[in-house]
């Protein structure tokens, strides 16, 4: 019986039969990452929905108790709303990754998320939350530098992107 009769394919048959194709492994890993990204997107979508319901309940509760006119309560609503916007931006970023969007679009989404997060920090900023006025000043200066940096990045992306 010749080599051709027993199913041998010549020199390539000398390779071990247990070798796995690296391209196939990479494709399976890529598919797994895509599924995990989609699960993450769903998690953010659910968190957003829960947050909207919670914010609505907070507002209704404040109306019922009469606390709706308290500035700190309103700032709490704004804080929660901005946090929800951050969740939406992170969701959009995850979706952009799953759709393999242009890197520029992903960077823009990340910058938007940063701007919203820093504006949120500025709105809820209270000097009384810091051990000293110097600590509060350092935090305020840091927030300001970060906000200006993000705005500069956003401006550069729009002008030169």
């Amino acid at each position: 019986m010749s080599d051709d009769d027993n199913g041998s394919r010549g020199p390539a048959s000398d390779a071990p039969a247990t070798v796995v194709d690296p391209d196939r492994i990479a494709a399976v890993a890529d598919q797994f990452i895509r599924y995990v990204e989609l699960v993450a997107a769903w998690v953010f979508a659910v968190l957003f929905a829960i947050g909207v319901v919670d914010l609505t309940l907070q507002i209704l509760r404040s109306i019922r108790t009469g606390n709706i006119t308290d500035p700190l309560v309103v700032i709490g609503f704004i804080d929660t709303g901005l946090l929800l916007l951050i969740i939406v931006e992170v969701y959009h970023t995850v979706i952009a990754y799953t759709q393999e969007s242009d890197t520029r679009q992903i960077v823009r989404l990340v910058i938007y998320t940063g701007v919203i997060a820093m504006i949120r920090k500025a709105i809820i900023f209270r000097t009384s939350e810091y051990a000293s006025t110097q600590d509060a000043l350092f935090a305020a200066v840091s927030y300001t530098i970060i906000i200006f940096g993000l705005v500069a990045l956003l401006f550069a992306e729009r002008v030169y992107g």
Side-chain angles (χ1 to χ4, degrees):
M1 181 178 231
S2 72
D3 283 343
D4 291 330
D5 293 335
N6 67 11
S8 174
R9 289 182 245 168
S13 66
D14 294 339
T18 59
V19 173
V20 180
D21 180 20
D23 292 336
R24 179 159 167 74
I25 292 173
V28 169
D30 188 50
Q31 194 67 22
F32 174 75
I33 291 295
R34 286 185 186 278
Y35 287 132
V36 171
E37 287 172 340
L38 290 172
V39 168
W42 272 103
V43 167
F44 285 116
V46 169
L47 284 174
F48 177 73
I50 292 169
V52 168
V53 169
D54 181 56
L55 179 60
T56 303
L57 292 174
Q58 286 179 29
I59 291 170
L60 292 174
R61 196 174 316 124
S62 294
I63 290 170
R64 195 175 62 233
T65 62
N67 291 338
I68 193 73
T69 58
D70 182 357
L72 291 178
V73 172
V74 174
I75 288 174
F77 297 153
I78 293 170
D79 180 38
T80 302
L82 289 172
L83 184 60
L84 291 173
L85 288 177
I86 291 169
I87 291 171
V88 167
E89 289 301 324
V90 172
Y91 167 82
H92 285 297
T93 303
V94 171
I95 292 299
Y97 273 109
T98 62
Q99 295 174 344
E100 297 180 358
S101 297
D102 180 34
T103 303
R104 183 173 159 219
Q105 178 187 2
I106 295 170
V107 169
R108 187 178 323 125
L109 289 167
V110 170
I111 293 170
Y112 288 158
T113 305
V115 169
I116 294 168
M118 292 313 300
I119 289 172
R120 176 179 172 260
K121 291 295 275 183
I123 288 173
I124 64 171
F125 181 79
R126 300 282 175 267
T127 56
S128 60
E129 295 178 5
Y130 294 90
S132 70
T133 54
Q134 185 176 7
D135 290 345
L137 178 63
F138 285 146
V141 169
S142 298
Y143 293 164
T144 303
I145 291 170
I146 293 169
I147 289 171
F148 280 132
L150 288 167
V151 169
L153 282 173
L154 196 57
F155 177 75
E157 190 279 326
R158 290 205 181 260
V159 171
Y160 302 109

